[in-house]
Amino acid sequence: MADVNRGNRPLSPHLTIYRPQLTSMTSILTRITGNALILGMLMIVWWLLAAATNADYFATADAVVTGWFGNLVMFLSLWALWYHTLAGIRHLIWDQAVGLDLDTAYKLGYAVIGGSVLLTLLTVAII
């Protein structure tokens, strides 16, 4: 028989009481940046294939890649690359059973976020 009170109960009570933690958010962001890097890679591959095809096709691809959209994708890809790299280093540190306590884990999380922003800005400034 159907439960009469089923409509009055929340389906996922953990969603109403769960507080996102920095370590879980940075872990999720690591996965997202890893997958998002594919967009920048596909744009570069498209640009290279266009260069190998013909001048008209290359002019179109070059206009997109060097335009505002291409610059935005490349900038975000650069940040994602630094973020993903630093998060990978953090995981290598954790693989050695170092920094697993909560305070150090949070410091490493903030270091990954701050370091990726700083390294991205430094890379853009140098290039």
Side-chain angles (χ1 to χ4, degrees):
M1 291 284 169
D3 186 3
V4 177
N5 293 323
R6 185 171 186 184
N8 297 331
R9 293 182 305 180
L11 294 177
S12 299
H14 68 281
L15 293 177
T16 59
I17 61 171
Y18 180 74
R19 184 177 147 249
Q21 302 166 341
L22 179 67
T23 51
S24 63
M25 293 296 107
T26 55
S27 179
I28 292 168
L29 193 55
T30 301
R31 289 165 174 78
I32 291 170
T33 56
N35 288 311
L37 284 169
I38 295 170
L39 180 63
M41 179 195 64
L42 287 175
M43 186 175 282
I44 292 171
V45 168
W46 175 52
W47 184 76
L48 290 170
L49 286 174
T53 305
N54 65 39
D56 292 335
Y57 189 47
F58 177 71
T60 302
D62 193 52
V64 172
V65 172
T66 59
W68 70 268
F69 180 73
N71 286 335
L72 179 65
V73 169
M74 290 302 151
F75 180 79
L76 292 175
S77 293
L78 180 62
W79 171 78
L81 184 63
W82 280 120
Y83 181 88
H84 201 74
T85 300
L86 293 176
I89 292 170
R90 179 185 62 168
H91 279 277
L92 287 174
I93 292 169
W94 284 347
D95 287 344
Q96 302 301 313
V98 175
L100 295 175
D101 59 290
L102 196 56
D103 288 339
T104 307
Y106 267 73
K107 288 176 186 174
L108 287 172
Y110 286 122
V112 167
I113 294 168
S116 64
V117 170
L118 179 66
L119 288 170
T120 300
L121 294 175
L122 284 173
T123 303
V124 169
I126 291 172
I127 295 175

